[in-house]
Amino acid sequence: MKPYRPNDYTVQERTAPDYTVAGVAFEAAGGEEGVRALVESFYRHMDTLPQAKKVREMHDDDLCESIEKLTTFLVGWLGGPARYEEKFGMMNLPGAHRHLAIGVAEKEVWLHCMQKALDEQGYDELFKRHVMVQLSFPAEMCRNRT
């Protein structure tokens, strides 16, 4: 038997970051500054997209606290410093959103705004997909209507 020798037809192993390893996703997002830019872009889309009007109305007119909460949550969620609890108390996503009528349509609009914000940041396509897949779980946890 001949020894194995790679050639032009050999499948090359593709290396990609493992965003599930602590800190990798946070770095890919650009650290705290990158996450804040993502969240600010997210809320800009929520303010301007007609289909997001109903979801935007679920927020205060002044988005400062919402921006801070989502930024702090995402920083920790992406593997950065976990400061949400010290700033805002224990995290309970379903409980925090229970008073809002969040159905499938509202969840989808929220995710759409996040996708638009991710696309604006110039992130790697695999990172954007990772974030969207992972965010679909907490988004679904907040849904309390059909």
Side-chain angles (χ1 to χ4, degrees):
M1 183 187 233
K2 293 182 183 181
Y4 173 76
R5 288 191 174 79
N7 60 42
D8 290 341
Y9 304 104
T10 303
V11 174
Q12 299 295 317
E13 183 178 337
R14 181 162 185 237
T15 57
D18 183 353
Y19 297 117
T20 64
V21 172
V24 174
F26 182 62
E27 283 183 37
E32 289 188 50
E33 186 177 306
V35 174
R36 181 164 294 280
L38 172 66
V39 170
E40 288 173 355
S41 175
F42 167 80
Y43 280 112
R44 265 194 314 279
H45 288 293
M46 194 175 287
D47 268 340
T48 58
L49 293 174
Q51 65 267 42
K53 185 178 188 306
K54 185 176 175 184
V55 176
R56 175 59 178 95
E57 289 172 350
M58 294 179 185
H59 296 75
D60 292 336
D61 289 340
D62 181 352
L63 289 170
C64 288
E65 185 177 7
S66 293
I67 290 170
E68 188 61 27
K69 283 184 172 183
L70 184 55
T71 299
T72 308
F73 167 73
L74 288 176
V75 163
W77 182 80
L78 288 166
R83 296 192 188 112
Y84 185 93
E85 194 170 322
E86 70 186 45
K87 282 187 169 188
F88 302 108
M90 187 63 121
M91 168 58 68
N92 176 357
L93 281 174
H97 295 85
R98 188 169 289 124
H99 67 287
L100 303 168
I102 301 172
V104 174
E106 292 77 20
K107 177 187 88 167
E108 292 300 321
V109 165
W110 191 95
L111 289 169
H112 178 71
C113 290
M114 185 56 73
Q115 181 67 63
K116 300 281 277 177
L118 284 163
D119 289 342
E120 282 187 357
Q121 305 312 305
Y123 293 141
D124 177 77
E125 196 61 38
L126 288 175
F127 177 67
K128 292 190 295 187
R129 282 192 228 157
H130 169 78
V131 170
M132 289 305 295
V133 167
Q134 295 304 311
L135 277 178
S136 69
F137 296 103
E140 180 62 23
M141 286 173 51
C142 293
R143 190 170 68 81
N144 52 30
R145 306 281 194 282
T146 55

